[in-house]
Amino acid sequence: MDEQQEVHKGLVGVYADTTAISKVMPETNSLTYRGYAVQDLAENCRFEEVVYLLWNGELPNRRQLAAFEKEERAERRITPRLRTVISTFPRRGHPMDAIRTAVSFLGLEDPETADNSPEATRRKALRLLAKIPTAIAAHHRIGHRLRVLSPRADRTFAENFFHMCFGKVPAPEVVKAFDVSLILYAEHSFNASTFTARTVASTEADIHAAVTAAIAALKGPLHGGANEAVMHMLQEIGSPERAHGWINDRLEHRALVMGFGHRVYKSGDSRVPTMTKYAEKMAAVVGDTRWMEISRILAAEMLEQKNIHPNLDFPAGPAYHLMGFEIPMFTPIFVAARLSGWAAHIFEQAADNRLIRPLSVYTGAAQRPVPSMRER
Ligand code: COA
């Protein structure tokens, strides 16, 4: 292999393009969306404002926000046909597969699928933003043989999701914690699913194709699926008394501990303190502190023994559990949030597109003649 053929396995350290959407700064463990620190956005904005920011480069004023929300709220309904399709999905299927299939179906139904103009792509992004939560909630309700609930146009994005899943909107502090999680999950530069979305968009395929592929990438336990894996792990541990023994055993066997480590952040994920604060609040609201107690022990041991910090999925998993969501809903919620970042990157890719097509260094057999059947 000569110098020109140096392989960057996992594209570690490779700058694939420029972006003006978000900046991950591992030196200071910080993350900004369009220049604003993500923890400031989480404390001071609603998710809808952050989506507007990601898509337009600036935070909305009151009038712009009202117009954006009106458009989003008007698009929340899914067709009876999509509801019927969802009801035919195998019951044991994972909701991530269901939402991936539903988004693919939304592409078939969308009146502008074939129109890849920037204006049509933005309209399609808004429809996806509005309809994905409805499809997730419909799948959840159908799976539990419950009546599917129509979205409510008089509720915020976060409130409406609770309404569609559970038929009621919880206390404001629970809605705020959920909204914070959506903001923290919204965007994270060239992560695997976003890069997937950009790769598909670079072929000039439509936004539904790019988002379907991004959902497929997000499902994996090394990416979005980690928030579910974290809660399974906490449940397996069960009680704070068992946490030390459990983690020592894992580390002795050099096994992965889910919710820890990050490709870019090596000394802490900027989103973790904010999400942990809200997960602790959820524990206090629900009166169940066990999961956060276990979490504190795991985080301390991982830091002491491996110098590895938790990532956002670590506090998000127990936070969603405490909000009442069942574990297979966690990564679909991540989809509902990250759609905003994926769409921003699809717009950006299309605005200055070049087909994404890296090289590979061939290590297979040298060129040879095809032997006849008798010679094989
Ligand atoms: N548990 C235990 N050890 C871990 C670890 C974890 N969660 N994450 C990293 N490590 C160890 C690796 O085993 C490796 O050790 P080694 O050098 O002795 O082989 C070292 O830390 C470096 O990790 P590496 O796999 O090179 O990092 P990466 O950048 O390729 O991987 C992740 C990053 C996210 C894929 C990885 O940390 C991981 O699998 N985490 C768990 C899944 C998770 O939480 N994903 C969500 C990410 S936001």
Side-chain angles (χ1 to χ4, degrees):
M1 227 187 273
D2 62 33
E3 210 169 286
Q4 281 186 321
Q5 291 187 329
E6 194 188 339
V7 170
H8 298 271
K9 195 135 175 98
L11 300 183
V12 173
V14 172
Y15 291 89
D17 207 338
T18 59
T19 181
I21 300 167
S22 69
K23 187 173 182 194
V24 181
M25 289 159 280
E27 335 60 73
T28 49
N29 307 331
S30 46
L31 167 66
T32 53
Y33 297 168
R34 304 280 189 189
Y36 297 111
V38 69
Q39 57 274 28
D40 290 348
L41 291 169
E43 294 294 358
N44 297 302
C45 298
R46 268 193 295 117
F47 176 63
E48 291 90 321
E49 294 170 74
V50 173
V51 179
Y52 185 99
L53 170 71
L54 292 171
W55 291 4
N56 297 289
E58 297 296 339
L59 282 165
N61 60 29
R62 213 178 287 280
R63 188 181 48 77
Q64 289 164 326
L65 179 63
F68 183 68
E69 288 190 321
K70 193 170 167 213
E71 286 177 24
E72 185 270 316
R73 290 174 187 206
E75 291 287 358
R76 286 178 179 170
R77 282 177 180 275
I78 58 172
T79 60
R81 195 165 49 173
L82 175 54
R83 265 212 309 273
T84 306
V85 167
I86 292 173
S87 70
T88 65
F89 291 167
R91 289 235 179 264
R92 280 179 300 126
H94 192 282
M96 278 299 274
D97 297 334
I99 191 61
R100 191 193 63 234
T101 309
V103 167
S104 205
F105 189 84
L106 282 167
L108 284 167
E109 281 191 320
D110 197 285
E112 295 184 291
T113 296
D115 184 350
N116 259 353
S117 65
E119 299 75 25
T121 299
R122 279 178 173 261
R123 288 191 292 271
K124 288 186 277 187
L126 189 86
R127 289 197 278 276
L128 280 171
L129 176 75
K131 292 183 200 309
I132 282 175
T134 315
I136 295 170
H139 180 257
H140 167 74
R141 304 274 304 177
I142 289 167
H144 288 80
R145 299 182 195 284
L146 295 166
R147 189 170 59 86
V148 173
L149 297 170
S150 297
R152 287 185 55 168
D154 60 340
R155 293 292 192 176
T156 66
F157 188 92
E159 289 169 349
N160 176 54
F161 189 63
F162 279 107
H163 152 71
M164 291 189 298
C165 289
F166 304 126
K168 55 178 191 265
V169 177
E173 59 261 44
V174 179
V175 175
K176 174 65 186 170
F178 183 67
D179 213 44
V180 163
S181 80
L182 297 177
I183 292 170
L184 298 178
Y185 267 139
E187 160 58 12
H188 212 205
S189 76
F190 278 33
N191 57 85
S193 58
T194 302
F195 192 62
T196 302
R198 288 189 77 123
T199 303
V200 176
S202 85
T203 70
E204 296 189 1
D206 55 81
I207 187 171
H208 288 86
V211 171
T212 304
I215 296 172
L218 191 72
K219 186 185 177 191
L222 297 189
H223 191 9
N227 60 10
E228 297 185 16
V230 165
M231 197 59 222
H232 285 300
M233 173 180 82
L234 296 178
Q235 287 185 334
E236 186 188 320
I237 297 169
S239 69
E241 299 73 49
R242 283 169 42 88
H244 287 285
W246 188 93
I247 187 100
N248 288 335
D249 183 62
R250 291 293 283 191
L251 295 181
E252 251 168 52
H253 289 89
R254 300 182 64 78
L256 271 187
V257 183
M258 301 316 278
F260 286 88
H262 198 273
R263 170 58 60 79
V264 184
Y265 299 116
K266 295 298 177 194
S267 54
D269 175 335
S270 58
R271 303 163 297 175
V272 166
T274 308
M275 196 65 244
T276 304
K277 177 177 128 186
Y278 282 91
E280 295 281 8
K281 278 192 186 184
M282 289 305 92
V285 167
V286 176
D288 181 0
T289 56
R290 175 171 42 145
W291 312 114
M292 297 314 288
E293 283 171 40
I294 300 173
S295 298
R296 279 195 290 276
I297 296 169
L298 299 186
E301 288 288 345
M302 283 298 281
L303 195 60
E304 195 186 311
Q305 298 194 39
K306 300 276 292 186
N307 196 26
I308 297 179
H309 295 258
N311 57 55
L312 174 58
D313 295 315
F314 190 62
Y320 288 148
H321 173 75
L322 290 162
M323 288 174 203
F325 294 108
E326 55 188 41
I327 296 176
M329 300 276 284
F330 295 3
T331 320
I333 293 170
F334 192 163
V335 170
R338 185 57 61 86
L339 180 275
S340 59
W342 292 333
H345 280 272
I346 291 165
F347 305 157
E348 192 178 61
Q349 181 69 36
D352 184 18
N353 188 38
R354 183 126 198 232
L355 177 72
I356 295 173
R357 204 299 186 193
L359 296 172
S360 56
V361 177
Y362 178 68
T363 59
Q367 190 166 353
R368 49 195 171 153
V370 176
S372 69
M373 195 55 91
R374 200 162 30 82
E375 289 167 323
R376 286 181 225 168

